[in-house]
Amino acid sequence: MLFRSVEFAGLSLIPVRVDRLSLIFGYIFHIAAILAALYALHVRNTVEHVTAMFYVGSAIGAVFAGDLVTLFLYWEITALSSVFLIFASRTERSYRAGIRYLIIQVGSGVLLLSGILMHYQDVGSLAFGQLIGAAGSLGDASLGVWLIFLAFGIKCAFPFLHNWLQDAYPQATVTGAVFLSAFTTKLAIYALARGFPGTDALIGIGVVMTLFPIFFAVIENDLRKVLCYSLNNQLGFMVVGIGIGSQMALNGAVAHAFVHILYKGLLFMSMGAVLYRTGTIRASDLGGLYRSMPWTTAFCIVGAMSISAFPLFSGFVAKSLTMSAVVEGYYVWTFVGLLIASAGVMEHSGIKIPYFAFFGQDSGIRCKEAPLHMCLAM
């Protein structure tokens, strides 16, 4: 359903479009916002609260944008507002990481705007719909479409465009990382699903995204950074589904985005609770916390089982849709790659995180359980 168009500077803009794709992202963005806000009740930083709500609102606005100019405006607001969740840590490292994050995110917006202008000059339309032909080949696309694709790829953390994620997210505040994990990259997944379904190149890109973080996650000591690498891994599954472009594959990609926001948010919440109570998130400094934080331990295990696609958990359903679409399309090597990636994510997010944080060698740390509002959010 398209709302009435608005004439602005000679352009016909559609600020709001509601359909099944935008609705499903709108639903999960609202759910994530409510849970993250509940988790952040202890924060006494007005700037952090206000910018978090700007960030959430702009992400929701972007998924309901009916034209590319409206998308661009919200795209930039997400970048400008989200960086304050990193600055709010008030350390030298967070400040430097925030500046790098801002440069890359604003750069994505500049590419997006350049692509929109070229695309408009080519086709005379600003409608935000499928931007490539039915053949799904980027080889036939215009320079404007290529720039839009690259802008989406930066925000989605494509290979070689991903370092901002592992650099910035672990430097955010305890609650800021929860907000960041839910919106920026999932907005890019939505944009790819809207503009580039069935694009063949996305299949290979997605497989690489699922595989390359495995080694780094295994050797990483910072458990929030491990979650960032596994975020890259999970995004790859969604990108593969979008690249295949069949109904089952797209359903799998969108379902995976929906449930990933929930279980990845849960894992960031549990690690944030550990950081909040102990002051550290390094695997080598933790262990034995199940004695002090039994509820947080249980919640983390639920998130770990979901991301590992354990039967009867949400990740199992979403990944099964995508894997079934891969089999249906006879993508043999893609199936092998995703299978290896699934084993890898079970090792570093399904086993490593709960083991080193809550079990393993007892660190001797004794602390309080996470505050009630954090437990309720988890």
Side-chain angles (χ1 to χ4, degrees), residues 4 7 30 71 80 89 110 126 158 181-182 208 230 241 245 258 277 290 312 322 347 366-368 371:
R4 182 178 299 176
E7 297 297 324
H30 278 85
L71 174 71
L80 296 173
S89 292
V110 171
L126 291 170
F158 280 2
S181 71
V208 175
S230 75
F258 191 102
R277 284 307 196 198
Y290 74 92
L312 304 182
T322 302
E347 191 282 329
R366 297 294 179 264
C367 60
K368 294 181 180 179

Side-chain angles (χ1 to χ4, degrees), residues 41-347:
L41 281 181
H42 67 280
V43 175
R44 295 293 180 264
N45 185 334
T46 303
V47 172
E48 187 174 352
H49 281 303
V50 172
T51 53
M53 291 302 103
F54 266 102
Y55 178 41
V56 170
S58 57
I60 292 171
V63 301
F64 288 106
D67 66 84
L68 290 167
V69 171
T70 303
L71 174 71
F72 164 74
L73 293 175
Y74 286 124
W75 194 269
E76 287 297 83
I77 296 172
T78 60
L80 296 173
S81 55
S82 60
V83 72
F84 288 95
L85 301 175
I86 303 167
F87 289 153
S89 292
R90 297 180 179 178
T91 65
E92 182 67 20
R93 291 184 66 184
S94 67
Y95 173 76
R96 292 181 181 276
I99 292 296
R100 292 190 293 268
Y101 171 87
L102 186 61
I103 291 171
I104 292 170
Q105 294 299 316
V106 171
S108 170
V110 171
L111 289 173
L112 178 59
L113 180 60
S114 301
I116 290 169
L117 294 175
M118 292 182 182
H119 180 65
Y120 179 68
Q121 188 176 31
D122 290 336
V123 303
S125 172
L126 291 170
F128 183 26
Q130 186 161 340
L131 299 173
I132 59 167
S137 174
L138 283 172
D140 301 328
S142 65
L143 177 59
V145 171
W146 266 99
L147 290 177
I148 294 172
F149 181 77
L150 183 58
F152 292 172
I154 291 173
K155 222 175 188 72
C156 194
F158 280 2
F160 304 109
L161 304 174
H162 68 282
N163 286 334
W164 60 268
L165 198 159
Q166 289 82 18
D167 179 41
Y169 282 19
Q171 301 306 320
T173 62
V174 166
T175 57
V178 175
F179 279 99
L180 289 168
S181 71
F183 297 101
T184 296
T185 52
K186 305 317 177 301
L187 173 56
I189 290 294
Y190 163 80
L192 287 170
R194 173 76 66 188
F196 296 93
T199 303
D200 294 339
L202 287 175
I203 300 174
I205 292 172
V207 172
V208 175
M209 287 177 70
T210 64
L211 292 173
F212 83 83
I214 294 174
F215 172 76
F216 298 101
V218 169
I219 64 173
E220 179 57 54
N221 195 29
D222 185 319
L223 294 182
R224 289 207 299 179
K225 190 172 284 189
V226 172
L227 288 178
C228 291
Y229 282 117
S230 75
L231 200 164
N232 248 134
N233 169 283
Q234 297 294 288
L235 290 170
F237 280 89
M238 305 170 209
V239 170
V240 168
I242 294 169
I244 293 172
S246 66
Q247 185 174 5
M248 182 183 292
L250 290 173
N251 285 341
V254 174
H256 201 158
F258 191 102
V259 301
H260 180 261
I261 288 173
L262 295 174
Y263 63 66
K264 183 63 71 175
L266 174 55
L267 288 168
F268 267 102
M269 285 180 182
S270 61
M271 290 301 99
V274 169
L275 177 59
Y276 181 71
R277 284 307 196 198
T278 67
T280 182
I281 199 61
R282 293 170 60 85
S284 56
D285 297 334
L286 297 171
L289 286 180
Y290 74 92
R291 296 180 175 86
S292 302
M293 306 179 75
W295 283 105
T296 302
T297 303
F299 296 139
C300 181
I301 290 172
V302 170
M305 294 177 79
S306 295
I307 198 171
S308 302
F310 196 83
L312 304 182
F313 287 77
S314 59
F316 176 78
V317 179
K319 283 187 180 179
S320 294
L321 279 170
T322 302
M323 296 296 277
S324 296
V326 170
V327 172
E328 193 176 64
Y330 298 99
Y331 297 97
V332 177
W333 290 111
T334 300
F335 180 83
V336 172
L338 295 186
L339 201 61
I340 295 171
S342 296
V345 77
M346 183 180 71
E347 191 282 329

